[in-house]
């Protein structure tokens, strides 16, 4: 498949297609609908639901593989093909849908490679490595028939209290731009549409709160927030952009025509379509309160340049359907609606979807041995050495105790848009190597003392770790954060979307570190987190060495183990500033 880009013939084809559609069929192309809406309780395609939801067609079907309910890729491909057959043969529009998935640190699908998180990739300062990782992501996505990914995240991590720092390429706009350009070029080379997100200044929110207002002036907007997006649009020509939840100086991004139609399209020449963030149009009603009703919210977002309503709501509750009546009443000229639909159809044409709508995947491994080797290489390159008094590398003859909540939990290696962490799954959908597993084969005299919790480690675990450390030369303690998202409602989740907090370790982990500092063994701290986490001065002084990595992915345990014993040089560098305390942020 050639590099996905919109050419003149795709625009002409889109105009030809849109000209024959009814108003209802046009609006249907501006909807992104979860795949689960089309499935029955057994996970099979339901014709009855399709008749109800998609009789006029649908633009995008999202989370076909990463929906979390059913984890058989071949089954999901077959069920999607049944939906696609319905759309091209029985819906009135006769147009296929795009499959969308998440792919910031690897495709969100069972068996796909869980590469290091974007913040970890930024620690390598290597756009070439990012290009190789994104190439593997694009190839895996294409193999499963995915047409669009909601990646990369080009927000900046300006305030480490913001829980989505882990999804970014750090705080520096030029580094984020270089990594973002590499990602988009490599993914789209496989005929998969990349989606820049979130437009714009989402990571510069007041108080580091998710979706809060961004009080950012024109200078910071131009010199910081917009830089990665501008570079990606001009150098890599992405096919899609996602709007952000926040306000920018009081104007909601989903109603900000100055930024979307003015800067993104007018100044930079963006040719693809703009999709809302999930329920972003609806938020104009209940959160931003700039619209009185569904039609006004839909018209506000459409007039600002939003093309697709991305929502989890039932079809009857989606705001863009009010556009049908707006056209018929004359409040929305139909030629304006046509312009938005043409953008979506032009992308479908550029992806070859109009000629070949079906997924050809019928089973088999998604990940290759080379992909897994690349995941380990990337994880190794992302490790940052913050302190070492000579204790590292560890000798094979050293008596080492491994402890801490992150030592043996696979979820400690994953960020919130890795499938297992995103869904809070107890079972592994891609094998993840822990630090314990990585060190066992390298250190013959390794012992392990388990600590069960990131947030409420028990007193007996803390005291037991100190006593066990007394008989060892070195104690390696793996601390930090576990990632997920606000939707999991899990007290163990300390980082991720909507998980905004002070950039410090929980008290129980600090108790563990201080207890181990007095054990007599030399203390090596391995910090795995989704944001720059500040360590108290007394803990830093007590430690003989400190290693940091930002969610290294499925091969993270091996990579960390190899760095500890000297098989890998921890050459990563900080893409974010570590505050000495919360009083230093933003």
């Amino acid at each position: 498949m050639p590099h996905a880009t919109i050419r003149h013939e795709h625009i002409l084809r889109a105009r030809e297609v849109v000209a024959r559609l009814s108003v209802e069929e046009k609006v249907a192309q501006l909807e992104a609908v979860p795949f689960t809406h089309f499935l029955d309780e057994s996970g099979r395609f339901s014709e009855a639901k399709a008749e109800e939801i998609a009789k006029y067609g649908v633009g995008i079907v999202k989370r076909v593989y990463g929906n979390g309910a059913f984890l058989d890729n071949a089954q999901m491909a077959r069920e999607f093909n049944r939906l696609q057959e319905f759309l091209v043969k029985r819906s009135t529009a006769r147009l296929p849908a795009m499959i969308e998935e998440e792919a910031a640190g690897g495709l969100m699908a069972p068996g796909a490679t869980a590469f290091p998180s974007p913040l970890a990739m930024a620690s390598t300062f290597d756009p070439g490595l990012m290009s190789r990782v994104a190439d593997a992501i694009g190839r895996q996505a294409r193999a499963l028939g995915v047409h669009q990914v909601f990646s990369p995240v080009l927000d900046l991590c300006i305030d480490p209290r913001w829980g989505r720092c882990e999804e970014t390429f750090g705080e520096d706009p030029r580094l984020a731009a270089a990594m973002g350009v590499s990602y988009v070029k490599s993914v789209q080379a496989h005929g998969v549409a990349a989606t820049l997100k979130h437009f714009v200044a989402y990571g510069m929110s007041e108080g580091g709160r998710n979706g809060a207002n961004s009080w950012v002036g024109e200078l910071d907007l131009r010199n910081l927030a917009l830089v990665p997006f501008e570079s990606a649009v001009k150098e890599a020509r992405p096919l899609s952009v996602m709007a952000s939840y926040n306000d920018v100086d009081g104007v909601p991004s989903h109603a900000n025509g100055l930024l979307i139609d003015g800067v993104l399209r007018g100044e930079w020449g963006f040719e693809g379509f703009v999709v809302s963030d999930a329920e972003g149009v609806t938020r104009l009603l209940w959160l931003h309160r700039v619209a009185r009703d569904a039609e006004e919210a839909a018209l506000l977002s459409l007039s600002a340049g939003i093309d697709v309503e991305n929502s989890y709501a039932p079809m009857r509750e989606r705001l863009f359907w009010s556009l049908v009546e707006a056209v018929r009443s004359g409040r929305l000229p139909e030629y304006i609606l046509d312009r938005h639909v043409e953008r979506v159809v032009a992308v479908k044409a550029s992806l070859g979807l109009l000629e070949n709508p079906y997924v050809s995947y019928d089973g088999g491994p998604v990940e290759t041995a080379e992909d897994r080797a690349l995941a380990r290489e990337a994880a190794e390159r992302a490790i940052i050495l913050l302190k070492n008094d000579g204790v590292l590398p560890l000798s094979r003859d050293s008596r080492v105790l491994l402890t801490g909540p992150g030592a043996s939990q696979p979820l400690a290696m994953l960020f919130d848009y890795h499938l297992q962490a995103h869904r809070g799954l107890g079972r592994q959908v891609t094998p993840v190597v822990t630090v314990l597993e990585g060190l066992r084969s390298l250190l013959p005299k390794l012992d392990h003392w388990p600590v069960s919790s990131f947030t409420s480690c028990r007193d007996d675990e803390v005291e037991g770790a100190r006593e066990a450390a007394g008989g060892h030369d070195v104690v390696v303690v793996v601390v930090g954060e576990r990632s997920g998202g606000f939707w999991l409602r899990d007290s163990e989740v300390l980082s991720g979307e909507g998980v905004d907090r002070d950039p410090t370790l929980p008290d129980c982990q600090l108790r563990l570190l201080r207890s181990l500092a007095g054990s007599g063994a030399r203390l090596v701290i391995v910090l795995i987190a989704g944001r720059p986490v500040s360590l108290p001065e007394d803990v830093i002084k007590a430690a003989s060495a400190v290693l940091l990595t930002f969610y290294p992915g499925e091969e993270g345990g091996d990579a960390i183990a190899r760095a500890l014993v000297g098989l890998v040089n921890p050459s990563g560098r900080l893409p974010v500033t570590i505050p000495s305390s919360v009083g230093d942020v933003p």
Side-chain angles (χ1 to χ4, degrees):
M1 183 73 185
H3 188 287
T5 186
I6 297 174
R7 297 192 297 272
H8 185 60
E9 59 263 32
H10 301 140
I11 297 172
L12 294 179
R13 179 77 184 279
R15 289 174 181 169
E16 175 190 345
V17 169
V18 173
R20 64 174 170 79
L21 300 180
S22 68
V23 175
E24 289 87 352
E25 290 163 348
K26 292 173 183 177
V27 172
Q29 290 301 305
L30 306 183
E31 292 287 1
V33 182
F35 188 44
T36 49
H37 283 23
F38 297 97
L39 304 179
D40 61 23
E41 293 181 356
S42 68
R44 304 294 178 179
F45 168 71
S46 168
E47 290 189 8
K49 289 188 175 184
E51 291 281 0
E52 176 186 357
I53 298 170
K55 63 181 178 180
Y56 299 117
V58 66
I60 298 169
V61 176
K62 60 181 186 172
R63 299 290 180 87
V64 170
Y65 297 103
N67 59 70
F70 314 103
L71 297 176
D72 184 324
N73 289 335
Q75 176 192 338
M76 290 298 97
R78 288 192 297 271
E79 300 308 320
F80 175 79
N81 280 340
R82 293 180 64 195
L83 168 61
Q84 198 76 300
E85 184 177 21
F86 173 89
L87 292 173
V88 299
K89 293 182 178 179
R90 293 174 54 192
S91 73
T92 59
R94 302 291 197 268
L95 282 174
M98 286 187 283
I99 294 179
E100 175 280 326
E101 269 301 346
E102 302 285 349
L107 185 68
M108 191 180 284
T113 306
F115 289 103
S117 68
L119 193 56
M121 290 301 304
S123 302
T124 71
F125 278 71
D126 189 345
L129 180 61
M130 181 74 260
S131 181
R132 291 165 57 203
V133 167
D135 180 75
I137 292 172
R139 175 172 42 76
Q140 292 182 11
R142 191 65 192 180
L144 288 176
V146 172
H147 309 110
Q148 178 187 17
V149 292
F150 281 171
S151 313
V153 174
L154 296 186
D155 303 297
L156 300 177
C157 175
I158 300 299
D159 191 326
R161 292 174 293 185
W162 186 51
R164 302 190 78 169
C165 276
E166 62 191 52
E167 299 178 45
T168 76
F169 292 120
E171 68 187 30
D172 185 86
R174 290 299 173 189
L175 175 61
M179 302 299 273
V181 167
S182 292
Y183 182 101
V184 174
K185 284 183 175 180
S186 293
V187 165
Q188 292 199 165
H190 290 275
V192 177
T195 304
L196 312 184
K197 64 184 200 182
H198 307 82
F199 196 76
V200 64
Y202 185 38
M204 304 172 75
S205 58
E206 185 176 30
R209 292 174 298 158
N210 195 53
N213 199 1
S214 298
W215 296 109
V216 52
E218 182 77 7
L219 189 65
D220 282 344
L221 193 66
R222 293 284 183 172
N223 290 341
L224 293 174
L226 288 172
V227 170
F229 290 92
E230 182 178 9
S231 294
V233 168
K234 290 182 175 180
E235 297 178 39
R237 299 181 67 188
L239 294 179
S240 182
V241 170
M242 178 182 285
S244 56
Y245 284 134
N246 56 296
D247 294 353
V248 177
D249 286 344
V251 181
S253 296
H254 282 74
N256 199 328
L258 288 175
L259 287 177
I260 296 175
D261 269 351
V263 174
L264 179 64
R265 289 198 174 99
E267 292 185 24
W268 301 345
F270 173 66
E271 296 177 317
F273 65 83
V274 177
V275 59
S276 80
D277 207 340
E279 318 304 338
V281 179
T282 309
R283 287 174 178 232
L284 297 178
L285 280 172
W286 64 265
L287 178 64
H288 302 294
R289 297 180 183 274
V290 295
R292 289 166 295 186
D293 53 31
E295 183 180 293
E296 186 172 18
L299 289 173
L300 272 175
S301 60
L302 201 76
S303 63
I306 302 292
D307 300 304
V308 174
E309 180 185 20
N310 169 25
S311 175
Y312 289 96
M315 296 301 275
R316 62 182 177 276
E317 298 176 16
R318 288 167 175 255
L319 275 58
F320 266 30
W321 282 106
S322 63
L323 297 174
V324 174
E325 181 57 31
V327 169
R328 287 180 174 155
S329 66
R331 292 186 293 273
L332 173 65
E334 190 167 357
Y335 76 88
I336 293 179
L337 177 66
D338 290 352
R339 183 172 60 199
H340 294 272
V341 183
E342 286 167 4
R343 291 171 183 155
V344 176
V345 178
V347 169
K348 291 184 178 184
S350 74
L351 299 175
L353 191 55
L354 302 184
E355 290 76 28
N356 183 22
Y358 298 107
V359 176
S360 60
Y361 176 79
D362 59 0
V366 179
E367 178 185 61
T368 67
E370 290 76 16
D371 294 334
R372 196 159 189 99
L374 178 60
R376 189 171 80 173
E377 178 188 348
E380 291 172 349
R381 296 277 304 282
I383 298 171
I384 305 163
L385 181 64
L386 297 179
K387 179 181 180 180
N388 184 23
D389 67 3
V391 67
L392 298 180
L394 299 175
S395 167
R396 282 181 57 86
D397 296 329
S398 296
R399 296 168 299 163
V400 177
L401 176 71
L402 177 66
T403 188
S408 59
Q409 293 192 34
L411 283 172
M413 301 292 143
L414 307 177
F415 85 117
D416 67 340
Y417 274 84
H418 284 137
L419 176 55
Q420 188 175 344
H422 191 78
R423 297 296 181 183
L425 302 175
R427 60 190 180 280
Q428 293 193 45
V429 294
T430 297
V432 177
V433 181
T434 65
V435 178
L436 175 60
E437 291 167 338
L439 277 176
R440 269 181 174 155
S441 61
L442 299 175
L443 294 176
K445 298 180 181 179
L446 179 73
D447 293 316
H448 175 232
W449 181 267
V451 175
S452 58
S453 172
F454 283 85
T455 58
S456 56
C457 35
R458 303 192 311 267
D459 290 342
D460 63 312
E461 292 177 335
V462 173
E463 291 304 315
R466 177 185 175 126
E467 292 176 10
H472 295 78
D473 303 314
V474 178
V475 56
V476 176
V477 56
V478 186
V479 294
E481 301 176 303
R482 210 197 85 191
S483 184
F486 69 91
W487 52 84
L488 297 178
R489 305 186 187 280
D490 185 343
S491 62
E492 287 290 288
V493 170
L494 295 169
S495 181
E497 184 171 351
V499 188
D500 312 311
R501 64 180 198 89
D502 290 352
T504 56
L505 286 179
D507 288 342
C508 89
Q509 293 192 51
L510 292 176
R511 283 194 295 112
L512 175 64
L513 290 172
R514 289 180 172 128
S515 176
L516 292 169
S519 68
R522 301 178 76 181
L523 180 63
V524 174
I525 299 173
V526 176
L527 180 59
I528 306 173
R531 71 186 88 226
V533 173
S534 59
L535 292 174
E537 188 174 353
D538 65 304
V539 171
I540 296 172
K541 287 183 176 179
S544 292
V546 181
L547 284 177
L548 167 65
T549 187
F550 298 108
Y551 299 129
E554 64 183 44
E555 282 289 315
D558 263 339
I560 292 168
R562 287 164 60 83
L564 288 170
V565 303
L567 296 176
V568 167
N569 176 33
S571 60
R573 288 159 288 178
L574 287 169
V576 283
T577 301
I578 300 178
S580 60
S581 72
V582 69
D584 290 332
V585 298

